Amino acid sequence: MNGADDLTIGSDIAAPRVRAAQYVRMSTDHQRYSTENQAAAIKAYADKHRMEIVRTYADEGKSGLTIEGRDQLRALIDDVRGHRADFEVLLVYDVSRWGRFQDADESAYLEYTCRRGGVRVVYCVEQFENDGSPTATIIKSVKRAMAGEYSRELSAKVFIGQCRLIELGFRQGGAAGYGLRRQLIDGSGLRKALLDRGEHKSLQTDRVILVPGPEGELATVRRIYQLFCITGMTERAIAELLNSEGRITDMGRPWTRGVVHQILTNEKYIGNNVFNRVSFKLKQKRVRNPPDNWIRADGVYEPIVDRRLFDSARDIIADRSRAYDDDEMLACLRQLLDDVGMLSGLVIDEQDKMPSSSAYRARFGSLLRAYMLVGYRPDRDYQYVAINRALRQLHPGIVAGIVSGVSSAGGSIHVDPVSGLLLVNGEFTASVLIVRCLQTPGGAYRWKLRFETGLEPDITIAVRMDAANRAPLDYYLFPAIDVLSDRLRLREENGFSLDAYRFDDLGIFNNLAARVPVERAA
């Protein structure tokens, strides 16, 4: 071997390794998709191609249907966008680990974001080179579509299995509800233990049924039916009575009209197992299904309410919510005006025995037109004033819930008594905005956010209220770095660019504040 050859070999050996990061994800797939197996395959690829893995992003037990809940993937994208990525290549086991998005363009967009930030994405076990060539682009498109199709097929199979278990009388997910408890049974039907909130069965052959709860809760449930069906009290009046007595729900919260209404309408209290009332397949849009699509098994649980009382409550509610014609709706509105002396959306919605304000908007085009048809001409509709007052009253309770969640996660939080700004663990600040829901003349819902830029919070927690402005619908967590304007308008569906910040609860915020023991951190 000549000197020139020796110099070439020496240069190869001295060449620095390419800095790389790895992303691994496992939901509930088979063992071949365990994060350990993914990491082993990625390491073999890195060693073969002279790469050094300097950072790992791992989402364990996370679905690939959306980016929501995948904290590590979001952290990866944030590092790339913020130019904090200290690596040149991102190694991923295969296309499906990147995501099983139902919109294949979402996966492509995330990869494009990495490439634009100077990070090349490599799929280690795929039989193509991700080099941007037309061939690679076509193969990736097919693979992404196949990954999404796999989830659709799996969803259909799981749904069929769930329906079968429902028909056999087994509970499929969800809290038991006030007055009931989840009972774990083994494959032979023998009872094992009661499951507390947040606990799940550990054996695949075990099943869950509903059983009566504590006697005190059973007495309260039966009393609710007596008050509603025999005494004639409304749901709101019953909730106020229970709160005045210092009673709380199974969630440890005050009673509301909605909680009482749910107890009066849910068939589980007479022993029926009903499933598929609401669909949220593939984490897409929630759909309320008609009764013909419900999956049910009657009389499979021990009832805690007399069937005649339940039917009586159902008849009362059905009669109250029957379809009104225009004349009947206006007659109700005219009677309310005579009784109260003024009209507003909030006044209408407080009534249990007449259509809601949204029903009047949908039927007559607007509340003002309905007002005019009954001879009421206000200077303006002051509904929003009352709503804002109610939301201000909700604010301390929501902040208290955030403080409790952070404390439960092991973090500390201080609320500034003047500005209301939250200081979490002495490290970052958060601002809480309660955003009321507005309905357009066309019936669509909108939410207008105005960020508190003067406080300069690190994170803005936007609590989006439901259509009635009575309870939180969901939560948006906006980092200050991504807030480009002091105003934002949200629709029901906002696309990935905004809904990537949306969460059903504040669990992810609590996780940000969680403290990890030194032993685990090491």
Side-chain angles (χ1 to χ4, degrees), residues 13-303:
I13 295 175
R17 289 177 171 264
V18 176
R19 294 176 64 83
Q22 62 176 341
Y23 174 73
V24 293
R25 177 188 66 82
M26 183 180 73
S27 54
T28 55
D29 291 345
H30 296 296
Q31 184 63 26
R32 73 185 185 96
Y33 276 139
S34 71
T35 52
E36 292 82 3
N37 286 349
Q38 292 176 59
I42 290 172
K43 185 178 186 305
Y45 182 95
D47 292 342
K48 181 178 179 180
H49 294 83
R50 297 194 55 76
M51 297 178 181
E52 178 186 4
I53 299 175
V54 299
R55 189 177 297 276
T56 296
Y57 299 88
D59 282 320
E60 299 194 37
K62 300 297 182 182
S63 167
L65 289 171
T66 68
I67 197 172
E68 185 173 316
R70 296 166 66 182
D71 298 339
Q72 288 295 292
L73 179 56
R74 292 167 64 91
L76 164 63
I77 298 301
D78 287 344
D79 287 346
V80 172
R81 286 175 174 166
H83 304 290
R84 296 184 297 273
D86 56 350
F87 46 86
E88 305 169 41
V89 178
L90 175 67
L91 303 177
V92 185
Y93 183 79
D94 63 12
V95 172
S96 73
R97 296 304 89 193
W98 190 239
R100 297 189 185 276
F101 301 105
Q102 295 308 290
D103 185 348
D105 290 342
E106 187 170 351
S107 179
Y109 171 77
L110 293 176
E111 183 177 326
Y112 167 75
T113 299
C114 291
R115 189 165 62 250
R116 185 180 180 184
V119 176
R120 180 167 58 95
V121 178
V122 173
Y123 302 108
C124 297
V125 301
E126 298 288 7
Q127 299 302 309
F128 66 90
E129 188 71 24
N130 193 17
D131 54 4
S133 65
T135 301
T137 302
I138 292 172
I139 295 176
K140 279 193 298 184
S141 297
V142 173
K143 290 273 188 177
R144 288 166 180 154
M146 291 171 59
E149 182 61 25
Y150 170 84
S151 292
R152 286 188 286 272
E153 292 180 354
L154 182 61
S155 175
K157 293 176 182 178
V158 169
F159 179 72
I160 292 173
Q162 288 177 320
C163 293
R164 175 59 178 159
L165 292 175
I166 288 293
E167 292 169 349
L168 292 174
F170 300 125
R171 178 77 171 174
Q172 290 298 292
Y178 188 84
L180 295 166
R181 293 295 184 269
R182 293 181 301 146
Q183 172 74 58
L184 187 66
I185 61 175
D186 62 20
S188 60
L190 295 177
R191 298 192 176 192
K192 300 176 68 174
L194 292 177
L195 295 176
D196 290 333
R197 179 171 297 278
E199 291 184 343
H200 304 279
K201 66 186 185 74
S202 57
L203 299 178
Q204 190 173 7
T205 55
D206 285 349
R207 297 288 178 251
V208 177
I209 61 173
L210 293 183
V211 296
E215 189 57 41
E217 292 187 16
L218 298 180
T220 299
V221 170
R222 292 165 182 148
R223 183 185 177 201
I224 288 173
Y225 274 86
Q226 292 282 340
L227 292 173
F228 184 78
C229 298
I230 298 176
T231 308
M233 293 180 66
T234 64
E235 294 101 317
R236 192 179 312 281
I238 295 172
E240 292 172 353
L241 175 63
L242 295 175
N243 288 330
S244 70
E245 296 174 348
R247 302 182 186 276
I248 58 175
T249 69
D250 57 317
M251 302 286 288
R253 299 171 182 169
W255 288 86
T256 65
R257 180 188 184 279
V259 174
V260 175
H261 184 79
Q262 191 272 339
I263 289 177
L264 290 169
T265 57
N266 200 310
E267 295 184 42
K268 62 188 177 184
Y269 290 102
I270 55 171
N272 295 347
N273 198 13
V274 184
F275 180 66
N276 198 41
R277 285 179 290 192
V278 178
S279 297
F280 188 40
K281 294 182 179 179
L282 298 172
K283 298 193 175 181
Q284 302 298 303
K285 188 175 181 179
R286 292 185 183 272
V287 177
R288 288 191 175 276
N289 297 316
D292 290 345
N293 291 348
W294 295 358
I295 309 300
R296 62 186 307 121
D298 294 342
V300 293
Y301 303 140
E302 181 181 347

Side-chain angles (χ1 to χ4, degrees), residues 5 30 51 167 213 253-254 270 315 341 345-346 358 361 461:
D5 290 335
H30 296 296
M51 297 178 181
E167 292 169 349
R253 299 171 182 169
I270 55 171
D315 291 342
L346 189 62
S358 60
R361 289 191 190 94
I461 304 173

Side-chain angles (χ1 to χ4, degrees), residues 351-406:
Q351 310 307 310
D352 290 305
K353 297 183 179 181
M354 66 179 291
S356 65
S357 61
S358 60
Y360 280 98
R361 289 191 190 94
R363 181 69 63 87
F364 300 104
S366 70
L367 279 179
L368 288 177
R369 183 168 182 272
Y371 295 164
M372 288 187 288
L373 290 173
V374 297
Y376 179 64
R377 289 175 172 78
D379 292 334
R380 60 187 297 185
D381 185 4
Y382 288 96
Q383 177 190 10
Y384 77 96
V385 176
I387 290 176
N388 286 345
R389 184 186 303 117
L391 295 185
R392 284 194 296 271
Q393 294 173 351
L394 282 177
H395 192 276
I398 290 177
V399 171
I402 294 173
V403 171
S404 176
V406 169

